[in-house]
Amino acid sequence: GKVARFGLREKAEAMGATVALLEGPGLVDVAALARQAIADGADLLGVAGGDGTQALVAGLAAEHGLPFLVISAGTRNHFALDLGLDREDPARCLEALTDGVEVRVDLGIIGERTFVNNASFGAYAEVVRSPAYREDKRGTALRLLPDLLNGHQGPRLSAQAGAVRIDAPQALLVSNDPYGMGDLAGLGRRARLDAGTLGVVAIRVGSARQAIELIRRGHGEGLTTLTADEVVVAADAPEIPVGIDGETVPMTTPVRCSIRPGALRVVVPRDRPGVPAA
């Protein structure tokens, strides 16, 4: 809807971009489109879409050393939020093509995939699977998490985050750089995208009341927060669902997460309305 509403195709083509529309009725292989663009000699890759699509193309841009352009045409646009981009008017992101600056940001790796925001396990992954999550991430997470934590029946997880072992977390979130303190579900923003470390949030509670209090306060017993260069998630099942930038993906265990510091060249407009004041 935003592509047509904000005239993104016409405006991008007027700036010299080649535009491919990701419209059905069948599925479109975004990675294949990006690879073809690279083979055709593209100088830059850009995506107008959600974070999951952004991550797919960002990985290819980083692999080939190409600049990457983020256009905030998804639902929540969390990556665009942390880059300070205008999420109300995605057409303003195109200003990076005429008056842009390049920033280096980190890129998360999970298995053979990339992620720009986070990878979620356990109850967190169950929230991502909810049909309501795409349209209302914050509301859905806060509504579902207490009951999912208290009654979690999925595979038993364990994680090794650097030198720290985390036993039987009911929910585990691994992020491409840490979220702010008290942000237990990756719904806020990250102060930096170039810290060169993974953020880790793990929750283990014994009751729905404890889960509600923990989510409400953002701290307390049952919460583990730390940073690490690598996180390995094991389970008592050969395969587990993982939420990767808002998309549920089945993955073979153990699942290995790591970070590539400064791997992604992002071109952003010189004037970004969402950059916090110093």
Side-chain angles (χ1 to χ4, degrees):
K2 290 181 181 178
V3 170
R5 191 159 72 250
F6 291 93
L8 297 181
R9 178 180 188 175
E10 295 78 12
K11 290 174 182 176
E13 288 178 340
M15 294 178 176
T18 299
V19 179
L21 292 181
L22 308 181
E23 53 188 355
L27 292 175
V28 178
D29 190 335
V30 180
L33 277 175
R35 290 191 187 96
Q36 186 59 54
I38 294 168
D40 291 341
D43 298 307
L44 173 146
L45 297 176
V47 176
D51 291 318
T53 309
Q54 300 281 353
L56 286 173
V57 182
L60 288 167
E63 179 184 338
H64 292 272
L66 290 176
F68 183 62
L69 174 68
V70 177
I71 305 168
S72 55
T75 48
R76 181 160 171 78
N77 301 296
H78 207 143
F79 191 41
L81 166 71
D82 291 339
L83 287 168
L85 300 176
D86 192 330
R87 296 189 298 161
E88 300 302 319
D89 183 0
R92 289 197 60 189
C93 299
L94 291 170
E95 294 172 8
L97 294 175
T98 55
D99 185 24
V101 294
E102 184 176 302
V103 296
R104 285 270 185 174
V105 303
D106 305 332
L107 199 57
I109 306 295
I110 178 168
E112 297 182 353
R113 292 176 61 110
T114 54
F115 61 96
V116 294
N117 294 328
N118 58 58
S120 55
F121 303 81
Y124 283 143
E126 292 299 318
V127 170
V128 172
R129 293 174 73 175
S130 167
Y133 181 76
R134 185 173 296 274
E135 295 301 324
D136 183 13
K137 290 179 170 60
R138 179 178 292 276
T140 303
L142 297 180
R143 186 175 67 254
L144 297 181
L145 263 179
D147 287 341
L148 286 172
L149 287 168
N150 185 49
H152 183 58
Q153 301 295 322
R156 180 184 174 89
L157 304 176
S158 65
Q160 188 71 37
V164 178
R165 179 173 174 80
I166 304 171
D167 288 315
Q170 292 145 313
L172 180 69
L173 187 77
V174 180
S175 59
N176 176 32
D177 291 307
Y179 289 100
M181 294 296 294
D183 186 0
L184 304 191
L187 298 171
R189 68 183 302 166
R190 292 159 288 183
R192 295 180 59 180
L193 291 172
D194 61 353
T197 186
L198 297 171
V200 182
V201 177
I203 298 178
R204 183 177 180 181
V205 296
S207 67
R209 173 178 290 182
Q210 186 183 356
I212 292 170
E213 286 299 309
L214 192 59
I215 292 168
R216 181 180 297 161
R217 295 179 181 178
H219 61 86
E221 185 181 356
L223 172 67
T224 300
T225 59
L226 52 90
T227 59
D229 295 331
E230 183 179 72
V231 179
V232 180
V233 182
D236 60 358
E239 186 178 271
I240 57 173
V242 183
I244 305 177
D245 285 337
E247 307 286 342
T248 303
V249 179
M251 301 201 74
T252 302
T253 56
V255 181
R256 187 177 304 275
C257 303
S258 59
I259 192 162
R260 293 178 58 195
L264 184 62
R265 302 166 55 193
V266 182
V267 178
V268 295
R270 192 176 303 277
D271 178 25
R272 287 175 284 160
V275 175

